Each structure stands twice: as structure tokens, then as C-alpha cells.
Amino acid sequence: MQISSRFSIALHIFACVDAFQATHKMTSDFLASSIQTNPVIIRNILSQLRRAGLVRIARGTGGITLERALKDISFYDVYAAIEPVERGALFRFHESPNPNCPVGKNIHKILDHKFTDIQSAMEAEMRKYTLEDIHRDLLCLNAVQGAVTQRSF
């Protein structure tokens, strides 16, 4: 199991919108230049974020705005929008273990609640972090590095 890079790309998009929206047109090309990926990938992720009610997109004008304050969008919100899990379960279990095997007939009973506990812990941890944390950390790092939020890439 691995969470795809689409999750970190989505967080990167939010950081760019926060850092540059006052000074730059937020287009998929602009965002792709920071992320160094194809603008089509950016548009697909933005569509998922829009469907989840996290961003508003003004087509043609490059207007991407947040639907909620940074402090009100958690990593979990972004994760749920970008990495929807099948039937609500993070772990996919093999479908038909051998019912005649002492391990096969019991493996679901042994692992199901453990998998649920692990997923719950991960989701709870993701809810602790918000886009405001990224904003604050980016400001601190840029201050230390002497960077300014101007497009230099």
C-alpha cells in the first residue's frame, strides 16, 4: 500500500494558491511549473478538489480560490478528496482465503479489526494537520532562507 503522489501534489497546489494568488494568475500551467508535472495532472487533481468542495475554479481566468479557511482544511480532507478508498477501507483484503485451511478460515477475524484500527489512527493523525500548518512552515522556511514569494522558477 502506498498513497500516491497525487496527495502531495494536491498539498503543493494549496501551498502555491496560498503563496501566489495575490500576485499571479493561478493556472494549471503556473502550478505545473512549480510542481514540475504536466498541467493535465494538475487539472485532474483540481477537479477532484472542486468536487470535494475544497476549491472553487473560475474557468478561463485562472481563478482558484479556497472554499474554506486554511485552518479548516485538514490533510485528511485533501486525502479523502484525492485518494478515495474502496468501500471506505484503506486495506484491501484478498477475497477468498481457503475456508478449509486453519489460517484461511480465520485470517479475516484476526486482521479485520487490526486494519480498521490502523486506518483510524492514520486518519486521526491526518486530521491534526491543516493547510495553515503548511502556510506557517512555508513562511518560516522562506524567512530563514531569505526567499520571497515571487515567481523565480
Side-chain angles (χ1 to χ4, degrees), residues 18 30 44 47 50 58 66 75 96 127 129 133 142 151:
D18 177 48
F30 177 86
N44 289 337
S47 291
R50 182 188 49 77
L66 304 183
F75 281 30
S96 53
R127 286 183 176 96
Y129 298 98
D133 294 316
N142 282 332
R151 185 174 182 191

Side-chain angles (χ1 to χ4, degrees), residues 43 46-47 50 56-63:
R43 287 191 289 275
L46 285 170
S47 291
R50 182 188 49 77
R56 186 178 321 122
I57 303 168
R59 300 272 182 223
T61 63

Side-chain angles (χ1 to χ4, degrees), residues 13-77:
I13 288 170
F14 280 113
C16 280
V17 170
D18 177 48
F20 296 115
Q21 69 182 345
T23 58
H24 294 81
K25 190 174 179 180
M26 289 292 103
T27 65
S28 55
D29 287 330
F30 177 86
L31 294 166
S33 69
S34 175
I35 299 165
Q36 292 194 13
T37 193
N38 189 303
V40 173
I41 292 170
I42 302 301
R43 287 191 289 275
N44 289 337
I45 292 172
L46 285 170
S47 291
Q48 289 178 287
L49 296 172
R50 182 188 49 77
R51 281 192 302 273
L54 300 177
V55 298
R56 186 178 321 122
I57 303 168
R59 300 272 182 223
T61 63
I64 299 166
T65 54
L66 304 183
E67 290 283 37
R68 296 186 247 163
L70 294 174
K71 68 179 180 59
D72 296 328
I73 301 175
S74 71
F75 281 30
Y76 177 77
D77 296 326

Side-chain angles (χ1 to χ4, degrees), residues 4 8 26 28 39 45 62 79 84-85 95-96 101-102 110 113 116 121 142:
S4 78
S8 63
M26 289 292 103
S28 55
I45 292 172
Y79 166 76
V85 293
E95 296 300 320
S96 53
C101 170
I110 294 167
H113 73 280
T116 300
N142 282 332

